[in-house]
Structures are given as C-alpha cells and as structure tokens.
C-alpha cells in the first residue's frame, strides 16, 4: 500500500491562543515495500508526521493519501478503522500499553476488536509469539511477569496480529541495551522482507538508518530538509552535524580520515567491510595512509 503526504501542514490547538505550527509543506512519498527512515533533531516534527500515516491526526492543510483513501483538511472522514488496521504503529516503550491478564489475551485483543474470531486470533498469537523471538509457553503467562525486552516483543506481536500492510516504528529500540537494539532491529528487518511490509522507522540511531533504510528523510524545524538514499544522505556529514545530528561511526571515521589524508576514498562507506575494502584499494594503488 502506497502512502503519500502532499503539502501537509499541521497546527496543534489550531484557531486558539495556544496554536502551534508543528509541520508545514511536508511532501513524502512511501511506495509499497519501502523501508524509510525518518530522522531529525528532537522537535523537528517526526512524531507529528507519523501520526498522519494512519489518520490519528488530520492535516490542517494539504492531504495524506493512504492506499485508496485521501485524508484532507476540508473533508470529514468516516470509518477510519480500516486505515488503522492496515497501518500499525509501534510507539516508544510499547510495553507500557500492555494491560490484559495473559500474553495471549493481550495479543488477541486487537484482532478480535476488529471482528476476527477468537480461534483465528489465538492462531495468530501462537504464530507471532515465535516470530518475535519468544516461545509459546509465554502465552499463558502474565505480561507483567516478563522481562522488559520480552514485554516489548509481546507488544510488537500485538501490533503484528492486526496484519498491517504498513508498520510504523517510533524509536522502537529506546531503552534497550546494544544487543537488544540489534536483535529488535534485525527482527523488524526480517519481518519487513518476509511479509513485504512498508516500514517507516523514526530513529536517532544513524547506524540503524544506514543499515536498514532504502531511503532517508531528514526533518528540520517542521519541514523536509532532504530526502535520499543512505549513501547520498551520509555523504554530506557536515550538513548533518550542522543540524545537530550524528553520522554513523564508520562514516565519521572516514570523514576524519579523508580530512587527515586530504583525499577521498571514492564513495561513502556505510559499513566496516566497505571501509576495509576501500582502504585496501587505496593501499593497492600505492597511496600511503
């Protein structure tokens, strides 16, 4: 399912003394099957953008096209449930939204609320609990008896149980240790590929953006600053640093090395393997390091 934001503006508490412009003139195109990373400094408008992707927010100007539905400021929308079933959002710390007495019931709640039979919902729970890296034994446990990382996986299974076509991830690794972060992101990337999902990742991790995204959108002060593939975006480290953003550690090392050597390596390297190969080529050409 394709999604497009066209000249979208959103004002919080519009037409009141507390009106605040959050985003404006936002154009973003997300073709079906794309893995898109949304990056930007805190307050740049990322969270406001993603809440338009399943009509949690309605633009005050412009329009959002979600599959065959168009959400615009001048049109009153009815029956938004199908959109919210197709576009699943995993908010920061999703484990805080767990509430039922067992893991199984928590995962089944969403699908059954949308008319899925109890039998089918339980089948989804059994299948998805394994897909998120847990075992069927946890289904009968209280989610509050699990570790923080396990609770997060249960919450993610609950979103996946709705069988969304689009998965929106808002800082999904927040609060996890480095190993947990890698495991969760590898899981999302595997699900993205296996299920043919469109995936939108909001992240402060430039490593994750470089590793997993097909395309990156930089938000700055409520506007789209730049859009491009990871290699293009990270080939301009000075621009990112000027916006208060980091760059991947490999890119930062290459940037400093190139300045020290006063020469370019030929391309921006996004992994240690790419950087090693580029340095080996430099050595084979007889250039000193």
């Amino acid at each position: 399912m394709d999604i497009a934001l066209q000249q979208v503006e959103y004002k919080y508490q519009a037409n009141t003394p507390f009106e605040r412009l959050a985003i404006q003139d936002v154009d973003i195109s997300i073709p079906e099957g794309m893995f898109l990373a949304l990056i930007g400094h805190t307050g740049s408008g990322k969270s406001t953008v993603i809440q338009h992707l399943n009509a949690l927010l309605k633009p005050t100007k412009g329009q959002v096209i979600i599959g065959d539905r168009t959400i615009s400021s001048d049109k009153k929308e009815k029956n938004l449930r199908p959109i919210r079933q197709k576009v699943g959002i995993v908010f920061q710390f999703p484990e805080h939204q767990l509430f039922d007495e067992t893991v199984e019931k928590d995962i089944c709640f969403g699908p059954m609320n949308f008319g899925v039979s109890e039998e089918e919902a339980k089948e989804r729970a059994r299948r998805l609990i394994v897909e998120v890296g847990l075992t069927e034994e946890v289904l009968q446990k209280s989610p509050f008896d699990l570790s923080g990382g396990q609770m997060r996986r249960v919450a993610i299974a609950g979103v996946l149980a709705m069988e969304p076509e689009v998965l929106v991830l808002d800082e999904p690794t927040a609060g996890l240790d480095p190993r947990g972060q890698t495991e969760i992101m590898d899981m999302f990337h595997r699900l993205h590929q296996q299920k043919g999902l469109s995936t939108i990742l909001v992240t402060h991790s430039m490593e994750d953006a470089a590793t997993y995204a097909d395309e990156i959108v930089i938000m700055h002060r409520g506007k789209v600053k730049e859009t491009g593939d990871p290699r293009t975006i990270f080939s301009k480290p000075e621009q990112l640093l000027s916006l208060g953003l980091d760059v991947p550690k490999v890119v930062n090392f290459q940037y400093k090395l190139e300045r020290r050597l006063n020469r370019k390596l030929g391309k921006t390297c996004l992994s240690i393997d790419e950087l090693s190969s580029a340095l080996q080529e430099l050595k084979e050409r007889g250039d000193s390091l």
Side-chain angles (χ1 to χ4, degrees), residues 14-277:
N15 303 316
T16 76
F18 306 101
E19 178 178 290
R20 178 174 67 85
L21 179 63
I23 58 173
Q24 65 180 126
D25 301 326
V26 171
D27 286 300
I28 299 175
S29 178
I30 309 168
E32 182 176 336
M34 172 177 281
F35 197 122
L36 181 138
L38 197 61
I39 65 174
H41 203 273
T42 300
S44 61
K46 304 185 301 297
S47 294
T48 302
V49 166
I50 65 171
Q51 290 181 74
H52 282 79
L53 300 182
N54 74 345
L56 285 175
L57 294 180
K58 178 181 176 182
T60 49
K61 281 186 182 178
Q63 60 183 14
V64 182
I65 302 171
I66 307 169
D68 59 0
R69 299 285 298 274
T70 299
I71 311 296
S72 61
S73 58
D74 57 357
K75 181 181 174 185
K76 188 171 183 179
E77 290 295 328
K78 297 180 180 179
N79 191 24
L80 295 172
R81 283 167 62 91
I83 292 176
R84 291 168 184 164
Q85 184 174 13
K86 291 180 179 178
V87 183
I89 299 183
V90 178
F91 289 105
Q92 287 189 46
F93 304 105
E95 59 271 22
H96 293 171
Q97 299 167 40
L98 299 174
F99 64 93
D100 226 320
E101 59 183 318
T102 68
V103 167
E104 182 180 62
K105 288 182 178 180
D106 221 305
I107 297 173
C108 290
F109 177 81
M112 290 176 64
N113 195 41
F114 275 79
V116 173
S117 69
E118 182 177 2
E119 181 181 3
E120 169 62 19
K122 287 183 175 181
E123 174 56 35
R124 293 185 188 183
R126 284 193 294 272
R127 173 168 44 83
L128 287 166
I129 202 67
V130 176
E131 288 190 14
V132 299
L134 299 176
T135 63
E136 289 189 29
E137 285 72 20
V138 305
L139 287 172
Q140 302 310 316
K141 292 183 178 181
S142 166
F144 307 106
D145 290 337
L146 304 178
S147 69
Q150 290 173 324
M151 290 173 70
R152 183 163 303 187
R153 290 172 186 267
V154 169
I156 292 165
V159 174
L160 294 173
M162 300 295 293
E163 297 189 341
E165 296 177 27
V166 179
L167 194 59
V168 182
L169 311 172
D170 186 7
E171 297 284 357
T173 63
L176 298 178
D177 60 33
R179 179 178 176 181
Q181 292 173 9
T182 299
E183 289 176 350
I184 288 290
M185 284 308 305
D186 284 347
M187 178 192 73
F188 280 129
H189 193 245
R190 173 175 50 79
L191 292 169
H192 168 80
Q193 293 180 315
Q194 289 179 349
K195 296 180 180 294
L197 299 171
S198 301
T199 303
I200 298 90
L201 170 68
V202 175
T203 184
H204 284 98
S205 170
M206 300 301 106
E207 271 74 19
D208 287 347
T211 300
Y212 302 105
D214 302 313
E215 190 163 309
I216 296 174
V217 172
I218 303 174
M219 294 291 298
H220 183 64
R221 295 182 178 176
K223 294 185 176 182
V224 174
K225 181 72 173 178
E226 189 163 350
T227 301
D229 64 82
R231 204 176 303 279
T232 299
I233 293 295
F234 291 123
S235 68
K236 305 170 186 175
E238 301 97 334
Q239 175 179 294
L240 291 167
L241 294 170
S242 73
L243 296 175
L245 299 174
D246 291 326
V247 295
K249 291 186 176 80
V250 170
V251 175
N252 190 42
F253 180 83
Q254 178 180 347
Y255 173 60
K256 291 180 178 179
L257 180 64
E258 288 177 338
R259 292 181 65 185
R260 182 175 179 179
L261 297 176
N262 196 28
R263 62 166 64 94
K264 295 288 186 179
L265 295 185
K267 70 175 183 180
T268 299
C269 301
L270 300 179
S271 69
I272 292 176
D273 288 343
E274 285 187 354
L275 181 60
S276 297
S277 296

